[in-house]
Amino acid sequence: MNDHSALTTLPKSAHTFLQGGGEMGALTRAYDWSQTTLGPPETWPLSLRTTVGILLHSAFPTFLFWGHELICFYNDAYRPSLGNNGKHPALGKKAKEVWPEIWDFIGPIIKQVIETGEPVFFEDQLLPIHRNGRLEDVYWTFSYSPAYGDDGQISGVFVTCTETTEKIVNAKLQHEKSELLRAVFDGSLSGISVLATVRDEQGAITDFDYRLVNYLTEQNNSRTDLVGKRYSDIHAGYKQAGLFDDFVKVVNTGQAIERERHYMGEGFDNWYETIAVKLNDGVVFSFRDITAMVQVRQQLDLNQQQLLASFEQLPVGIAIISEEDLTYRMVNPFYGEVAGRAPDELVGKPLLDVIPEIEGQGFDDLLRQVIATGIPFLAREMSVQIARRNQLETIYVDFTYQPHYEGNRISGVMVVCLEVTEQVLARKAVETTGQYYRHLTDTVPAVIWETRADGCCTYLSRQWYDLTGQTPTEAEGDGWLNATHPDDKAESGRLFLEANQHQTPFFAIYRLRYHNGLYRWVIDKANPRFGSDGAYQGMIGTVVDIHEQKIAEENLGASEQRFGAAV
């Protein structure tokens, strides 16, 4: 490789190849090349002059190594990649002096190109370089090609490149965000499906395809291969049940549809609370099995007097309010918790006397309307301003007002209510994360946790510490197991270690000790977490309180046994 192959001396006025070229063109013209092995520009070979002229006038980031010392040239487009301080200006310097931190990587590549004449190409290659006063991780897509001298021999290496650091960093952040959202998505206590329209040649909607489902949807359908399937292939009766028409209406109007459904078919005979929301040219459909709640409501409608004997134990708030002054006649403990008063503080007293803060919120008017018309009233997620724990709170409740009869006369109202404040606040918080995912995470608050590949817990969200009273030092590693019930600890630990070892989803139901010393039932679920390179990185999961649901199931079973025995 010759620095002055086939020299042709030109007058300085003929240096047209150095004209223009922005900042680097000016620096190249002003540089004292006579102090380098290349000599002044008027002595450069035609091939070098041509190559430098192309480099300086290119809009694409370009670098050139020339001569046996690999003298450096680059253009304005390449200049930002050198940072604000550190390497710039590298013009006229030897390659090894400019790139000492990556010479072990690029030195052999340059040598290979010069010796073989074969170009090389790398995509999104990590090459940490010293710039902006520190060593930075920088990703590049680049090619190294031979640059020929006037004598036909390889005299240098021509580099075209672009920095892809921002793309790679953003991709990693998006991957981590997706993993977190997927954990919340799969941790939902509602089944969630993302469905896409299937249209005929005229554009009419004929069906829907599964595009994304969460864990509860798979469990409800007892299969894990839903994605890509037609909805009608899985639920043949959904058109007859009116669900297809609702989906089409949501897509065509953009208006969400929320309703209770009684679905029978494919082995189902359940009641569901469903919400369908438009997403692009499809629907996000969420469902929650409320069969137990509906059965309780129907049982109340049919057997009010019999159920009153056991209503103290029902896992919902129940009260009887008489027509006269809207006075409380009966109140169970769950209703007292919602109202922020003990039952004996309410019984025998008018509604507005004992809970004055609800005056003007319309509840007394609704009660009188039910008494006057005999028509039940149902509300979901109704906001209520109520004084509890010595302060005014905004809570959310699902409730029904049923006319209460004595003989053939309406004597008052039976109130059945369930507080859903945590679920509503959780959904509102999730909605702020983005238009796409806010309908996928309509669920109660959950503890988020993360482990390393070796199973060591490295992160628990603040909810864990608020609930259990543990400190990070106590909970991290495998210390979280110390907050589980002694009878559940060994099995929960075994299930987690087995899932971590096989890199499979983790699922456990156990009792968790809260900071007040009481134990509550929770569901702990997690999915294996993989990096963008496919390497296993550990688990990411959620812990959800299901205590009321668990106790409700147990109480309902016990209540039905007592009722059956009484009959």
Side-chain angles (χ1 to χ4, degrees), residues 179 450-452 458 527-531 535-540:
E179 287 286 317
E450 187 174 343
T451 68
R452 295 197 307 253
T458 58
N527 281 331
R529 182 166 53 90
F530 298 94
Y536 178 60
Q537 295 182 340
M539 291 280 185
I540 183 166

Side-chain angles (χ1 to χ4, degrees), residues 277-553:
V277 180
K278 182 175 182 179
L279 178 65
N280 300 325
D281 189 34
V283 173
V284 176
F285 178 60
S286 66
F287 65 89
R288 181 166 63 98
D289 191 330
I290 59 170
T291 304
M293 180 181 289
V294 172
Q295 289 173 344
V296 170
R297 194 168 65 213
Q298 292 172 341
Q299 192 73 6
L300 287 172
D301 292 340
L302 297 173
N303 306 289
Q304 285 186 2
Q305 295 302 321
Q306 292 92 333
L307 285 174
L308 286 176
S310 60
F311 95 136
E312 290 282 332
Q313 302 177 29
L314 288 174
V316 292
I318 301 178
I320 304 294
I321 298 178
S322 66
E323 178 181 13
E324 184 179 357
D325 295 328
L326 300 179
T327 299
Y328 283 105
R329 290 175 53 188
M330 300 183 71
V331 175
N332 80 338
F334 284 93
Y335 186 94
E337 290 180 11
V338 174
R341 279 84 170 169
D344 58 1
E345 295 181 76
L346 300 173
V347 174
K349 301 180 180 64
L351 170 68
L352 295 181
D353 287 352
V354 70
I355 313 179
E357 65 268 21
I358 68 169
E359 184 173 2
Q361 297 185 47
F363 296 100
D364 52 336
D365 294 334
L366 289 173
L367 290 166
R368 293 189 179 94
Q369 177 181 314
V370 172
I371 294 170
T373 65
I375 300 174
F377 180 82
L378 170 68
R380 290 193 64 261
E381 300 181 358
M382 178 75 78
S383 65
V384 185
Q385 293 283 325
I386 197 163
R388 301 194 305 189
R389 294 178 284 273
N390 299 319
Q391 63 180 6
L392 193 63
E393 297 180 21
T394 298
I395 66 172
Y396 296 86
V397 293
D398 293 348
F399 67 90
T400 60
Y401 286 172
Q402 295 278 351
H404 182 67
Y405 289 86
E406 291 183 356
N408 294 325
R409 185 182 72 86
I410 297 176
S411 62
V413 176
M414 173 178 280
V415 181
V416 180
C417 67
L418 180 66
E419 183 174 354
V420 293
T421 303
E422 290 186 352
Q423 295 92 320
V424 172
L425 294 180
R427 189 184 69 246
K428 290 179 180 293
V430 170
E431 286 172 352
T432 64
T433 63
Q435 184 67 26
Y436 181 86
Y437 285 101
R438 65 179 183 175
H439 302 297
L440 306 184
T441 55
D442 185 13
T443 184
V444 297
V447 173
I448 305 296
W449 57 268
E450 187 174 343
T451 68
R452 295 197 307 253
D454 61 3
C456 179
C457 183
T458 58
Y459 171 76
L460 285 152
S461 62
R462 187 177 65 184
Q463 291 93 325
W464 176 270
Y465 304 112
D466 292 343
L467 293 177
T468 66
Q470 283 190 313
T471 65
T473 301
E474 294 170 335
E476 291 177 359
D478 60 0
W480 61 274
L481 281 168
N482 295 329
T484 63
H485 194 281
D487 293 343
D488 302 333
K489 180 178 179 180
E491 178 65 8
S492 299
R494 184 190 69 79
L495 291 172
F496 171 76
L497 290 176
E498 183 176 283
N500 190 69
Q501 178 182 356
H502 297 291
Q503 301 176 15
T504 56
F506 165 64
F507 178 87
I509 297 178
Y510 55 79
R511 288 160 288 180
L512 182 67
R513 186 184 69 244
Y514 277 45
H515 62 83
N516 58 8
L518 299 178
Y519 286 91
R520 294 177 66 84
W521 286 99
V522 298
I523 286 180
D524 198 343
K525 295 191 296 185
N527 281 331
R529 182 166 53 90
F530 298 94
S532 57
D533 59 355
Y536 178 60
Q537 295 182 340
M539 291 280 185
I540 183 166
T542 60
V543 179
V544 179
D545 190 311
I546 60 166
H547 192 76
E548 280 72 22
Q549 176 184 338
K550 184 84 171 176
I551 299 304
E553 292 172 356

Side-chain angles (χ1 to χ4, degrees), residues 31-319:
Y31 194 82
D32 185 3
W33 295 101
S34 65
Q35 300 303 310
T36 71
T37 56
L38 299 183
E42 56 267 23
T43 68
W44 290 356
L46 178 62
S47 54
L48 175 58
R49 296 197 297 268
T50 302
T51 304
V52 171
I54 293 173
L55 175 145
L56 290 175
H57 295 88
S58 173
F60 197 81
T62 308
F63 201 98
L64 175 64
F65 300 108
W66 190 272
H68 71 275
E69 292 184 337
L70 300 175
I71 301 300
C72 297
F73 296 84
Y74 54 98
N75 62 4
D76 279 4
Y78 187 88
R79 163 69 183 88
S81 296
L82 297 177
N84 296 324
N85 58 69
K87 294 189 179 299
H88 179 74
L91 183 68
K93 296 179 181 178
K94 300 174 184 178
K96 195 170 183 178
E97 296 175 357
V98 176
W99 304 107
E101 66 274 34
I102 60 172
W103 190 250
D104 287 345
F105 183 86
I106 69 170
I109 296 175
I110 294 172
K111 184 175 183 294
Q112 174 186 329
V113 172
I114 292 173
E115 291 180 351
T116 66
E118 295 294 329
V120 295
F121 176 79
F122 291 85
E123 185 173 7
D124 298 328
Q125 174 67 46
L126 173 61
L127 287 176
I129 67 170
H130 191 276
R131 67 181 185 185
N132 301 321
R134 60 188 177 89
L135 191 67
E136 294 186 15
D137 283 346
V138 184
Y139 291 84
W140 308 85
T141 292
F142 61 90
S143 69
Y144 279 25
S145 304
Y148 289 90
D150 291 359
D151 57 1
Q153 300 299 310
I154 297 174
S155 294
V157 175
F158 193 74
V159 182
T160 56
C161 64
T162 183
E163 183 179 340
T164 60
T165 304
E166 184 176 358
K167 181 189 77 171
I168 298 301
V169 170
N170 288 339
K172 289 183 176 180
L173 291 175
Q174 185 61 40
H175 178 76
E176 293 173 0
K177 184 185 294 183
S178 297
E179 287 286 317
L180 179 60
L181 288 173
R182 183 73 201 198
V184 177
F185 180 54
D186 280 337
S188 171
L189 291 182
S190 295
I192 304 174
S193 305
V194 178
L195 307 174
T197 58
V198 177
R199 298 178 181 269
D200 60 20
E201 294 180 355
Q202 287 72 42
I205 299 174
T206 60
D207 208 337
F208 289 82
D209 280 344
Y210 281 103
R211 289 297 177 84
L212 183 66
V213 298
N214 71 344
Y215 175 80
L216 192 58
T217 301
E218 294 177 338
Q219 292 296 103
N220 189 70
N221 289 279
S222 301
R223 58 192 300 170
T224 59
D225 60 345
L226 294 174
V227 174
K229 298 289 192 301
R230 291 287 167 88
Y231 201 87
S232 60
D233 290 342
I234 307 301
H235 300 288
Y238 92 112
K239 292 188 177 181
Q240 290 77 9
L243 193 56
F244 171 77
D245 292 336
D246 278 358
F247 287 172
V248 173
K249 185 176 181 180
V250 168
V251 173
N252 290 336
T253 67
Q255 298 297 314
I257 294 180
E258 182 176 357
R259 66 172 89 240
E260 290 185 1
R261 299 179 185 277
H262 186 198
Y263 192 87
M264 295 183 293
E266 304 94 45
F268 293 96
D269 185 8
N270 296 348
W271 283 89
Y272 296 97
E273 176 187 79
T274 64
I275 303 174
V277 180
K278 182 175 182 179
L279 178 65
N280 300 325
D281 189 34
V283 173
V284 176
F285 178 60
S286 66
F287 65 89
R288 181 166 63 98
D289 191 330
I290 59 170
T291 304
M293 180 181 289
V294 172
Q295 289 173 344
V296 170
R297 194 168 65 213
Q298 292 172 341
Q299 192 73 6
L300 287 172
D301 292 340
L302 297 173
N303 306 289
Q304 285 186 2
Q305 295 302 321
Q306 292 92 333
L307 285 174
L308 286 176
S310 60
F311 95 136
E312 290 282 332
Q313 302 177 29
L314 288 174
V316 292
I318 301 178

